[in-house]
Amino acid sequence: MPSNRTRRIRLLLSYDGTEYHGWQIQPNLPTIQGEIETALAQIEGERIQLHGSGRTDAGVHAVGQVAAFDLRNPIPAGNLRRALNRLLPRDIRVLEVTEAQTDFHPRFNAKRKTYEYRMLRAEVCPPFLRRYVHHHPYPLNEEAMIAFAPLLDGEHDFSIFAAADEKDELGHSKVRTIFSSRVYRQGSSEDDLLIYRVTGSGFLKHMVRNIVGVLLEAGKGNLTQADFLRRLDPYCQIPCGPAAPARGLFLINVEYE
Amino acid sequence: MPSNRTRRIRLLLSYDGTEYHGWQIQPNLPTIQGEIETALAQIEGERIQLHGSGRTDAGVHAVGQVAAFDLRNPIPAGNLRRALNRLLPRDIRVLEVTEAQTDFHPRFNAKRKTYEYRMLRAEVCPPFLRRYVHHHPYPLNEEAMIAFAPLLDGEHDFSIFAAADEKDELGHSKVRTIFSSRVYRQGSSEDDLLIYRVTGSGFLKHMVRNIVGVLLEAGKGNLTQADFLRRLDPYCQIPCGPAAPARGLFLINVEYE
């Protein structure tokens, strides 16, 4: 019989976002939060609310998402991980289950988050990567992208890079601190991956995909460094160009104190 | 206007077999051959028959399948590759298109084929690998598997390893030559992949998955070396144990003179 003492449990999660309408629970649509809450309800015998470190968009993947919830069931952490992985679809995996402080909050306590965006330059995209990279076999000035990316380091107003429906929201600061923003090659072959990796205090909705969209514009030769920097002026009113597709984006980790 | 001169075209193909009922065309079911023939018909303006180096089962993948067909359309090989990749679903890719001798036959001319079977020993299977490995987190005596695999090298009657519906077919030799049959670790971590790689003159239906099934039985401690060798006697009548799941199997390449 479950005791009445409530524990706060922290989850480390990995998921393939391809088949989901993002993290946040929505009626009648498959979501990451929805699948995990359904599994938790089967273990606890009643509905449990899951809190994530933040939402990921439809189609975005995670190798290190963090979430937490309160549980009365006294099941040991190791068994809970196995029980959840048995109940969850195979494209959502619980990597770790740990007992957390009762005031731990995965969103409010998060200090740094890292995202990675994967671009494949090869002429043909291997079928096994098709869900996990943005295939871009066209010419790109990678040197410009490599040079421009670090210009985002530091504290900036990222209004230009926010999602359309968030842009005009008043009272919400669009200022974020980027600790590291880099483009680099993974591997040495021409066909290998071009990676954008960014670590920051937090990210606005669509922010990483919009940054990659602007970096790709720079790579196509459509933006000078001055054009690029102008996007850090929140009053510049330049429309942000197309966001890079969700399938290339991975939430890598969330860091706490 | 298409000329009347017929060319024989050779394709190098890669596919994710997860969503397909195998290579061979079947009415009203998605198959690799069916998808490619549909794309070819759009290019040629009439139905074209595609010949593969052999059939792969439902759910089996390929990184180097070879196929060929005759075409009247004079489209250059490079353009044909692009046209096919535009028409095909993203889980089937044409890696290379080459002009072949008019008597080239991908099945009859094949000299060696290599398959790889991927087993993941980690306790949790990353979501991104779930379609491409057989997840086996339970104890295994890998040393026994590594020791037994090379016992299959050489010419043997593989009747025991044939699919049930092929076993009793008379007049079809079940003798095949295995050039190399090996189990090894990819990477150094406990969690890394355990690979079975086999190169042979040809393979019976389900043969590789049945070999892996027997190797896994050896890994579980259910078979001595003598038990294992007894399976090379076509009259031994030992039932073959469960075939390993299709998702771990990749056709790596097909070699010609």
Side-chain angles (χ1 to χ4, degrees):
Chain A
M1 207 182 115
S3 86
N4 278 321
R5 204 176 69 78
T6 293
R7 313 141 68 190
R8 185 151 298 180
I9 303 285
R10 174 172 166 170
L11 300 180
L12 183 67
L13 299 164
S14 180
Y15 46 83
D16 175 343
T18 310
E19 310 290 345
Y20 297 96
H21 290 255
W23 170 268
Q24 194 185 16
I25 198 161
Q26 294 177 61
N28 305 319
L29 288 175
T31 65
I32 310 293
Q33 186 188 9
E35 295 290 334
I36 300 173
E37 288 191 1
T38 299
L40 287 173
Q42 289 190 61
I43 291 166
E44 183 77 330
E46 61 182 68
R47 198 83 206 166
I48 287 180
Q49 209 195 336
L50 182 71
H51 298 271
S53 79
R55 301 165 187 173
T56 50
D57 293 337
V60 173
H61 316 293
V63 297
Q65 170 69 291
V66 174
F69 59 94
D70 289 333
L71 188 75
R72 279 207 297 266
N73 188 318
I75 180 173
N79 296 1
L80 181 56
R81 188 186 72 172
R82 277 187 288 276
L84 281 169
N85 282 334
R86 241 188 325 261
L87 292 166
L88 286 167
R90 294 177 68 234
D91 50 5
I92 303 176
R93 291 291 91 180
V94 178
L95 304 179
E96 289 173 22
V97 172
T98 44
E99 308 278 343
Q101 304 281 355
T102 50
D103 62 350
F104 171 72
H105 193 289
R107 181 151 59 97
F108 303 142
N109 296 163
K111 293 295 174 218
R112 297 152 56 100
K113 278 188 189 181
T114 297
Y115 281 94
E116 203 171 278
Y117 194 90
R118 302 181 184 174
M119 294 162 271
L120 183 77
R121 303 295 317 282
E123 205 172 327
V124 178
C125 178
F128 316 102
L129 293 181
R130 73 190 189 285
R131 296 160 162 247
Y132 310 125
V133 297
H134 171 39
H135 184 215
H136 190 89
Y138 315 107
L140 272 185
N141 179 350
E142 294 183 11
E143 288 64 37
M145 298 170 70
I146 290 167
F148 292 2
L151 301 173
L152 300 183
D153 286 5
E155 191 181 83
H156 303 285
D157 185 317
F158 285 97
S159 294
I160 294 283
F161 297 96
D165 60 350
E166 222 185 31
K167 273 207 176 68
D168 304 319
E169 247 181 71
L170 296 174
H172 275 290
S173 167
K174 306 290 189 297
V175 174
R176 296 290 184 278
T177 300
I178 299 293
F179 303 116
S180 169
S181 162
R182 298 290 181 273
V183 169
Y184 59 93
R185 275 280 182 174
Q186 194 169 84
S188 54
S189 143
E190 270 299 291
D191 286 354
D192 281 329
L193 291 171
L194 186 68
I195 308 279
Y196 174 63
R197 194 174 172 109
V198 61
T199 300
S201 61
F203 293 89
L204 304 165
K205 187 175 169 186
H206 294 182
M207 180 168 149
V208 182
R209 289 167 54 199
N210 278 327
I211 290 174
V212 174
V214 171
L215 286 169
L216 283 169
E217 285 304 306
K220 291 172 195 167
N222 299 338
L223 286 183
T224 64
Q225 180 165 321
D227 296 330
F228 186 80
L229 285 172
R230 209 166 294 131
R231 275 145 181 89
L232 293 176
D233 169 4
Y235 302 106
C236 90
Q237 303 289 347
I238 302 171
C240 191
R247 65 165 70 93
L249 187 58
F250 289 74
L251 172 58
I252 300 296
N253 65 37
V254 187
E255 293 169 81
Y256 297 89
E257 288 288 277
Chain B
M1 207 182 113
S3 86
N4 279 320
R5 204 176 70 78
T6 294
R7 313 140 70 187
R8 186 150 296 179
I9 303 283
R10 173 172 165 170
L11 300 180
L12 183 66
L13 299 164
S14 180
Y15 46 82
D16 175 343
T18 311
E19 309 290 345
Y20 297 97
H21 290 255
W23 170 268
Q24 193 185 16
I25 198 160
Q26 294 177 61
N28 305 319
L29 288 174
T31 66
I32 311 293
Q33 186 187 9
E35 295 290 334
I36 300 173
E37 287 192 2
T38 300
L40 287 172
Q42 288 188 63
I43 290 166
E44 183 78 330
E46 61 183 68
R47 199 82 208 168
I48 287 179
Q49 209 197 335
L50 182 72
H51 298 271
S53 78
R55 301 165 187 172
T56 50
D57 293 337
V60 173
H61 316 294
V63 298
Q65 171 70 292
V66 174
F69 59 94
D70 288 333
L71 189 75
R72 279 205 298 265
N73 187 319
I75 180 173
N79 296 1
L80 180 56
R81 189 186 71 173
R82 278 186 289 277
L84 281 169
N85 281 334
R86 241 186 327 262
L87 292 166
L88 286 167
R90 295 178 66 235
D91 49 6
I92 303 176
R93 291 291 91 180
V94 178
L95 304 180
E96 289 174 22
V97 173
T98 44
E99 307 278 344
Q101 304 283 355
T102 51
D103 61 350
F104 171 72
H105 193 289
R107 181 151 60 96
F108 302 142
N109 296 162
K111 294 293 175 217
R112 296 154 56 101
K113 279 188 188 181
T114 297
Y115 281 93
E116 203 171 276
Y117 194 90
R118 302 181 183 173
M119 294 160 271
L120 184 76
R121 304 294 319 280
E123 205 172 329
V124 179
C125 179
F128 316 102
L129 293 182
R130 72 191 190 283
R131 296 159 162 247
Y132 310 125
V133 297
H134 170 40
H135 183 215
H136 190 90
Y138 315 108
L140 271 186
N141 179 351
E142 295 183 10
E143 288 64 37
M145 299 169 71
I146 290 168
F148 291 3
L151 302 173
L152 300 182
D153 286 4
E155 191 181 84
H156 303 285
D157 185 317
F158 286 97
S159 294
I160 295 282
F161 297 95
D165 60 351
E166 222 185 31
K167 274 207 177 68
D168 304 319
E169 247 180 71
L170 296 175
H172 275 288
S173 167
K174 307 289 189 296
V175 173
R176 296 290 184 278
T177 300
I178 299 293
F179 303 116
S180 169
S181 163
R182 298 290 181 274
V183 169
Y184 58 93
R185 274 279 184 176
Q186 194 169 84
S188 53
S189 143
E190 269 300 291
D191 285 354
D192 281 329
L193 291 172
L194 185 68
I195 307 280
Y196 174 62
R197 194 174 172 108
V198 60
T199 301
S201 60
F203 293 89
L204 304 165
K205 187 175 170 186
H206 295 182
M207 179 170 151
V208 182
R209 290 166 55 199
N210 278 327
I211 291 174
V212 175
V214 172
L215 286 169
L216 283 169
E217 284 305 305
K220 290 172 197 168
N222 301 337
L223 286 185
T224 64
Q225 180 165 321
D227 297 330
F228 186 80
L229 284 171
R230 208 166 297 132
R231 272 140 184 92
L232 293 175
D233 168 3
Y235 302 105
C236 90
Q237 303 289 347
I238 304 170
C240 192
R247 66 164 68 94
L249 186 59
F250 289 73
L251 172 57
I252 299 295
N253 65 37
V254 187
E255 293 169 80
Y256 297 88
E257 289 287 279

